[in-house]
Amino acid sequence: MDPLTIQHSRGRYSIRPVPMEEALHDLPASTFLITDENVARAWGHLFPKGTPSLALKAGEQSKTIAVYEGALEWLAQSGATRASTIVAVGGGVVGDAAGFLAATYMRGVAYVQVPTSLLAQVDSAIGGKVGLDLPSGKNLVGSFWPPSEVRLPVEALSTLPADEFRSGMAEVWKYGFILDEGLVQRLDEGPMHAHDSRLPGVIQECLELKKMVVEEDEFEKTGRRAALNFGHTIGHALEKAARYEGLKHGEAVSIGMVVEARLGERLSLTPEGTSSQLAAWLEREGLPVKSSLLAGEQEMLDAMAKDKKATECGLSFVLLTRIGDCKLVHGVAASEVVAAMRDA
Ligand SMILES: NC(=O)c1ccc[n+]([C@@H]2O[C@H](COP(=O)([O-])OP(=O)(O)OC[C@H]3O[C@@H](n4cnc5c(N)ncnc54)[C@H](O)[C@@H]3O)[C@@H](O)[C@H]2O)c1
Ligand SMILES: [Zn+2]
């Protein structure tokens, strides 16, 4: 893998592939490390001695205001100053939560991302979106706060549970579906695993695609960055319906991509047969493509109405115009969404 640089409105940061030991070496002075209990168990032996560290409970439950407040207090009581750096060592939950702490503690401090899940390595650690969930919905509190650098240890994936790896693969497929037919062809060779020789190349491709999108539309103003939300309008509503338990982010996105492909077919935007093709690929990858939660139509619609893309003109969806391209569509009728969910 090659290093990459991301340009943003306030500067730039590098993404450097490194072994885990190097990722945790030579950290800035006055570092405060934030991780979760699983990552601490697997990699804590490499955490720098003497660096204050906080291990959050693993899982989405740590992206809450209550946990955030506790972590702010921990920073204050441990002596973190404006010159301190937060180092986020973990998956997307740790990255989002620690990034939001960095964005807001003392009006903002620097932070370094050390993503340890596949999902974080291909997606959440890059692009500067940080945030927390509210009881009303996912990621409803947040900021754009780019990291000062990303140290990317592919090696960390060796301890990632297989179901978490598959969850990250949903986002990998997503990049192919929305932006890159060639990536889909490479993934079509067969299910991917943590020691797959294709993996470094595939992560690199995802990073290059995310770089292109976030550099073009850093603050999600033009609709370009919204493309990354393919599968997420349904996916986030499913996660909420599941109370953030029992359904991983990538699993919800996998189901969401199939439903949203079906919605695109209903609206004559997505070629007929695309949703069943997506379902076949995702199922072969070991991902779910349907859920009984889709039957809770009103609950799903209420959750979607709170989606950040929703406007007074109705629901908005990223829909595929073919495999490898997509379009943001506003004002989608709720009846069409319900019909697409019923066909699951
Ligand atoms: N900011 C963004 O742009 C963005 C983009 C996509 C997703 N997200 C967010 O990311 C989150 C999901 O991320 P995730 O799937 O990484 O979830 P996660 O952080 O909960 O990690 C998944 C699980 O894997 C464990 N884990 C992580 N790395 C490990 C390792 N190397 N060894 C052993 N266990 C390990 C974690 O402890 C956790 O149990 C969601 O909250 C989602 O909203 C944010
Ligand atoms: Zn996602």
Side-chain angles (χ1 to χ4, degrees), residues 29 43 125 135 174 177 186 207 210 214 228 236 261 266 285 326:
W43 297 97
K174 180 194 75 180
F177 296 152
R186 273 181 289 292
L207 289 171
K210 181 129 190 193
V214 301
L228 298 172
H236 284 163
R266 291 190 63 83
E285 197 72 62
C326 63

Side-chain angles (χ1 to χ4, degrees), residues 137-194:
K138 252 181 86 83
N139 299 330
L140 290 182
V141 179
S143 179
F144 288 98
W145 192 250
S148 50
E149 54 173 314
V150 181
R151 300 181 181 189
L152 196 146
V154 178
E155 179 192 11
L157 303 182
S158 62
T159 60
L160 187 69
D163 56 347
E164 296 294 351
F165 184 86
R166 286 196 291 272
S167 173
M169 281 306 296
E171 302 278 8
V172 172
W173 279 97
K174 180 194 75 180
Y175 282 112
F177 296 152
I178 58 172
L179 292 167
D180 187 351
E181 201 181 354
L183 176 57
V184 171
Q185 281 163 7
R186 273 181 289 292
L187 297 175
D188 186 33
E189 287 166 23
M192 187 87 82
H193 53 80

Side-chain angles (χ1 to χ4, degrees), residues 5-14 146-148 215 218-219:
T5 302
I6 309 270
Q7 309 279 350
H8 58 87
S9 56
R10 284 179 237 151
R12 58 165 71 181
Y13 57 91
S14 64
S148 50
E215 285 187 343
E218 181 179 355
F219 299 114

Side-chain angles (χ1 to χ4, degrees), residues 267 309-317 328-334 336-337:
L267 300 175
K309 288 185 302 310
T311 60
E312 46 296 345
C313 315
L315 299 169
S316 300
F317 283 87
L328 179 61
V329 180
H330 299 289
V332 176
E336 291 293 343
V337 180

Side-chain angles (χ1 to χ4, degrees), residues 46-273:
L46 294 180
F47 291 178
K49 302 273 172 294
T51 297
S53 64
L54 176 67
L56 307 176
K57 283 206 163 46
E60 194 71 26
Q61 53 178 324
S62 284
K63 270 177 66 173
T64 59
I65 300 282
V67 172
Y68 164 68
E69 186 183 358
L72 284 173
E73 263 306 309
W74 172 77
L75 284 171
Q77 289 183 12
S78 314
T81 69
R82 248 181 235 170
S84 300
T85 299
I86 292 176
V87 178
V89 186
V93 165
V94 167
D96 280 11
F100 189 66
L101 276 168
T104 49
Y105 182 69
M106 294 198 172
R107 298 202 184 83
V109 298
Y111 77 115
V112 175
Q113 290 270 21
V114 182
T116 62
S117 70
L118 178 59
L119 187 141
Q121 294 190 352
V122 298
D123 191 357
S124 62
I126 315 109
K129 273 194 189 179
V130 296
L132 305 174
D133 305 330
L134 289 180
S136 284
K138 252 181 86 83
N139 299 330
L140 290 182
V141 179
S143 179
F144 288 98
W145 192 250
S148 50
E149 54 173 314
V150 181
R151 300 181 181 189
L152 196 146
V154 178
E155 179 192 11
L157 303 182
S158 62
T159 60
L160 187 69
D163 56 347
E164 296 294 351
F165 184 86
R166 286 196 291 272
S167 173
M169 281 306 296
E171 302 278 8
V172 172
W173 279 97
K174 180 194 75 180
Y175 282 112
F177 296 152
I178 58 172
L179 292 167
D180 187 351
E181 201 181 354
L183 176 57
V184 171
Q185 281 163 7
R186 273 181 289 292
L187 297 175
D188 186 33
E189 287 166 23
M192 187 87 82
H193 53 80
H195 303 284
D196 202 301
S197 60
R198 288 172 296 167
L199 190 59
V202 163
I203 295 175
Q204 176 97 34
E205 273 185 88
C206 294
L207 289 171
E208 281 167 9
L209 291 167
K210 181 129 190 193
K211 168 183 159 76
M212 178 182 80
V213 171
V214 301
E215 285 187 343
E216 248 176 68
D217 183 18
E218 181 179 355
F219 299 114
E220 207 164 322
K221 289 279 194 312
T222 66
R224 188 76 174 123
R225 186 167 181 165
L228 298 172
N229 282 318
F230 176 56
H232 283 62
T233 308
I234 293 284
H236 284 163
L238 280 170
E239 283 183 273
K240 185 170 177 233
R243 315 272 176 267
Y244 304 110
E245 285 171 7
L247 195 61
K248 297 184 193 314
H249 178 71
E251 292 172 343
V253 169
S254 172
I255 299 163
M257 290 192 289
V258 175
V259 174
E260 292 180 16
R262 201 176 301 121
L263 178 62
E265 289 174 20
R266 291 190 63 83
L267 300 175
S268 305
L269 205 96
T270 304
E272 208 62 44

